[in-house]
Every structure is written in C-alpha cells, then in structure tokens.
Amino acid sequence: MSEAGDVHTLAYTTVSAVMYGLAGYKALAWAAERIPALLLMAIGALAGGAAFTAATPAVYRWLGETSGISDLATLIGYTQVIVCFACLRTLALLWSPRRLPAGKGSKAGNGGRPHRGIGMRGALRRVLPRYGAAVAVMWALFLSADLPTGERPLTFDTAFADRPPVFAFLLVYHAAFGWALWSMVYVCCERLKDVHDPILRGSLRLLVIGCTFIGSYGVCKLIAIFGVVLGSHTLDALSSHVATALSSLGGVITATGWTRAALRTRRQRRRDFYALETLWTTVTQADPGVILHSPPSGSAWEFHTLRRAHEIRDGQLALRPWTSQHIVNAARRLTDEHGLGSPDRDAPEHDALAAAAGIMGALEALRSGRPPGMPCERLPGIDVPPQAERRHLVAVARQLDSPLVARVLAEAEQ
C-alpha cells in the first residue's frame, strides 16, 4: 500500500471508530429516554461510520473485487453519506421553530412568535421521499455508467467525472448532502442567538465548525469535478487529498461536539439529582405518600431528577397550609437587601431563599401543631416555567442550610 493509502487508512479508520462509538452511545441514550432526536443521531453516526469504512482503501478494493462491480464502494459510501445527512436534515427540521404570522396569536408587526416545530412525522414526510428518490437516482446512474475494471479508492470522482452518468451521479450526491449540511449550519447559527446554556452553546458551535469543514470538502470536490469536466486535471489533488482531510476533520469535530454535550449534560443531571437529595428528603417529610416506589434504572438520571422534582412540588403543596406569608415576605426583603440571585423577579434563583425559608418554617409549624396566622397564598417559585424548574429547585436546595434562612426564621419567631 502506498504512503498516501496508509495515511487515508489511518484517518478513515479513526473517524469510523469515533462515529461507531458515538452511534453506540446515542443508541443507549435513546433506549433509556426514547427521544427521537437521539435515535436520529445514532442512525446518522452509524451511517457516517459506514461511509468512512467503505472509503478505507483496503475495504474499498475488497468490496469491488468481491462483488465484481468496479468502484462499488463509492456507491455504498455515498449512499451512507446521504443516509447520514438525511438524518441531519430531519434534525434541522425538528430544531427549527416555525413562526406564526402577525395577527395569529401575536401582536401585529412583531414578525410572529416562535411556535412548535413540525414534529418527527412531519419532518420524516418531508425528508424520506426526497432523499429516497436521490438514492434511487444515484444507484440508477452509477449502475448505468459501465465503468472499466479496477478500483480507484481515492480518485474515482476525478477519474470518471467526464462521463455524463457519473457527472450526474456526483451532482445528485452533492446536492442532497449539501442541502442538509448547510441547512444544519443555518439552524445552529439561528439557535445560537437565543440559547444561553453553555453546554448547548458549546455543542452548537462545534457542530457549526464540523459541518463547515465537511461543507468545505464538498466545495473542493466540486471544484475538482468541474475542472475535469472542463478538460483539466490540475486540481485533482483538491478531491483526493484536501477534500478527504477536511471531511475527516469535520467528522471528528462534529462527533466530538455531540459526545461532549451528551457527557456534560449527563454529569449535570447527576449533580442536579444529588443536589436535590436534601431538599427532597426535607420536603417529603410532610407527606411521605408523594414518594413513588418504582425506581428506574440507575442510568436514567433525567427520569430520576424529573421524578424528584415532581415529588418535591407535591410535598411543597402539602406544606402550603403551614407556610407563613410573613416568613416568605421577610425572606424576599432579605433577598432584595443582599442582592441575592438575579435581579429579574422571573429568574429561577430569585425566590430560592423565600422558598427555602417557607419550607423550613412550615415544617417547624407542622411539628409544633401551630399553623401560621397568615398562610402563604402563593408558594414562592411554584409558578416557575417548566424549563427553569430544575434550576430553581437546585437553588432552593442550596439555601436550605443557609444562615439567612436561620435568620429569617429567628426574626419571624421574635
């Protein structure tokens, strides 16, 4: 094997291993949580790994020699790329919020408001027919090209681009994968304007960078292909060396972004779960019946944490008749005086001290059998939006043992 072949074998094998590892991780995550996007990522990563495996020179030659169809690995590899980017296009549709026109649930002149996406079935209805047709056309064009014998693992595109069936085959391939690729880049850039979570922002940035490198692979390939069509092979190296390096680098960056975000999110869920331990134990003293007795598997941290949050909320509601409005008001005054949390009253951390003081005061009242003279009408933080509830409860848990809570309760007792 040539030195260039050795380099490509090492690069493609490395990227394949990364992709297969990502596919396995996402498949396990989907089995635990049944989120459609995780399944799409698993299928896309598996197809991407298969594409790089087929492009590995030794595998490429083996497929052609075994099947008797010259350069069959190109057809298989490019088909797997289309499958991968069909999944990416579906994800782009799922992640793209639609906007209602002005006058339909929004004030006129504000350009509409975000609305729910089209959903998995709607996205698949848009993607599957188009990309299925693209794959069928690619197979028909490739098999009608009547290629000569011999395998060309690194130079297929520039060796046969001057043949009309192959040229059309390559155009369909680049159009299908390029549309999905740049759609994902656009969606990620739009999401970056509104996303403030550092984990998600980091993942989106890496996805944009990885997709840009992969997109540059397509640009280099097309430049070399059109050069061949125009009668020049001077730019062949763009296709056989530069483009392949860009695709390998882009694949690794994209997989790293997805894996990094998944691992950091998992660690954050574990931290949140353990942070809620004390709060959960404290609040459910009022009504142990709110605790569910069907624990899920130990790896389902998202389920664990959501269940804990629901049980904490039920416990808070059970304590509401014993929660003093005076204690809540005193805690809110102290929050404002000390500038605790965000100054925005809608922020998840703002009512953390008031909620913690209210819970501790309610438990004291419950144990003593003396309900407060003025029960709390609306529990602090009870109307936090669902997407901010976990953050709010973690902030409450951290305030339970705060000296400020003890100070509020002492002042209320006096």
Side-chain angles (χ1 to χ4, degrees):
M1 186 181 294
S2 67
E3 184 178 348
D6 291 337
V7 172
H8 284 83
T9 296
L10 177 62
Y12 288 168
T13 302
T14 301
V15 179
S16 296
V18 172
M19 289 292 185
Y20 290 142
L22 176 62
Y25 184 84
K26 293 295 183 182
L28 290 175
W30 174 78
E33 301 183 38
R34 301 292 175 172
I35 298 174
L38 293 174
L39 181 59
L40 286 173
M41 291 179 189
I43 296 172
L46 181 63
F52 278 100
T53 298
T56 304
V59 177
Y60 190 104
R61 293 188 179 92
W62 177 82
L63 285 172
E65 293 167 0
T66 302
S67 66
I69 302 175
S70 298
D71 297 295
L72 176 65
T74 291
L75 178 60
I76 294 175
Y78 283 5
T79 299
Q80 294 302 319
V81 171
I82 295 300
V83 172
C84 174
F85 282 93
C87 293
L88 207 65
R89 176 59 184 156
T90 307
L91 281 173
L93 290 173
L94 289 176
W95 293 351
S96 299
R98 293 184 298 174
R99 292 194 173 270
L100 292 177
K104 292 185 179 180
S106 62
K107 294 181 181 179
N110 69 354
R113 61 178 173 83
H115 187 54
R116 292 183 61 188
I118 62 176
M120 175 61 78
R121 290 184 180 180
L124 290 176
R125 279 196 296 267
R126 290 190 184 187
V127 172
L128 287 181
R130 293 174 173 85
Y131 280 80
V135 169
V137 171
M138 285 171 57
W139 277 72
L141 290 169
F142 184 92
L143 296 176
S144 66
D146 192 23
L147 299 174
T149 57
E151 305 304 313
R152 297 156 189 84
L154 303 177
T155 60
F156 173 87
D157 293 358
T158 51
F160 300 117
D162 53 352
R163 297 184 177 219
V166 174
F167 180 63
F169 163 81
L170 294 173
L171 288 184
V172 173
Y173 162 69
H174 282 282
F177 111 86
W179 172 247
L181 179 78
W182 295 113
S183 296
M184 178 57 76
V185 171
Y186 172 77
V187 168
C188 290
C189 290
E190 288 295 306
R191 290 290 300 273
L192 278 170
K193 298 176 183 177
D194 303 320
V195 171
H196 302 290
D197 177 42
I199 297 177
L200 183 54
R201 286 184 66 85
S203 176
L204 290 174
R205 285 197 190 99
L206 286 175
L207 190 55
V208 169
I209 294 170
C211 286
T212 301
F213 273 103
I214 298 172
S216 301
Y217 147 87
V219 172
C220 290
K221 282 278 188 181
L222 287 173
I223 291 173
I225 288 168
F226 277 99
V228 171
V229 171
L230 295 175
S232 172
H233 284 269
T234 56
L235 299 176
D236 286 7
L238 278 178
S239 173
S240 58
H241 299 297
V242 178
T244 54
L246 289 171
S247 67
S248 299
L249 183 59
V252 170
I253 293 174
T254 301
T256 301
W258 278 352
T259 305
R260 174 176 172 269
L263 291 176
R264 290 189 64 182
T265 299
R266 182 179 176 83
R267 287 197 298 269
Q268 183 63 52
R269 289 171 179 172
R270 290 185 64 180
R271 285 196 295 266
D272 289 348
F273 176 79
Y274 288 120
L276 293 176
E277 184 80 22
T278 303
L279 178 60
W280 175 78
T281 303
T282 301
V283 171
T284 54
Q285 293 177 33
D287 185 5
V290 303
I291 300 175
L292 300 176
H293 295 284
S294 55
S297 63
S299 62
W301 295 107
E302 179 70 9
F303 186 93
H304 271 302
T305 308
L306 287 174
R307 192 187 68 175
R308 286 250 147 129
H310 288 310
E311 292 171 353
I312 289 170
R313 286 306 198 196
D314 289 341
Q316 280 184 288
L317 292 173
L319 285 172
R320 181 165 56 181
W322 303 91
T323 305
S324 169
Q325 186 67 50
H326 294 300
I327 291 178
V328 170
N329 292 341
R332 282 176 172 158
R333 283 195 302 270
L334 204 59
T335 297
D336 294 335
E337 290 173 8
H338 288 260
L340 300 175
S342 170
D344 182 3
R345 297 198 67 88
D346 293 330
E349 301 92 343
H350 184 80
D351 274 336
L353 179 61
I359 290 169
M360 299 305 291
L363 288 173
E364 288 290 338
L366 179 62
R367 281 192 287 266
S368 66
R370 296 193 303 270
M374 182 186 295
C376 186
E377 296 180 1
R378 180 179 291 274
L379 295 174
I382 200 68
D383 52 357
V384 167
Q387 66 272 18
E389 185 173 54
R390 180 187 303 172
R391 189 171 144 199
H392 166 74
L393 292 177
V394 169
V396 174
R398 289 171 180 160
Q399 290 287 355
L400 279 182
D401 297 327
S402 167
L404 294 175
V405 170
R407 177 177 163 183
V408 170
L409 296 180
E411 290 179 359
E413 186 176 352
Q414 292 174 2

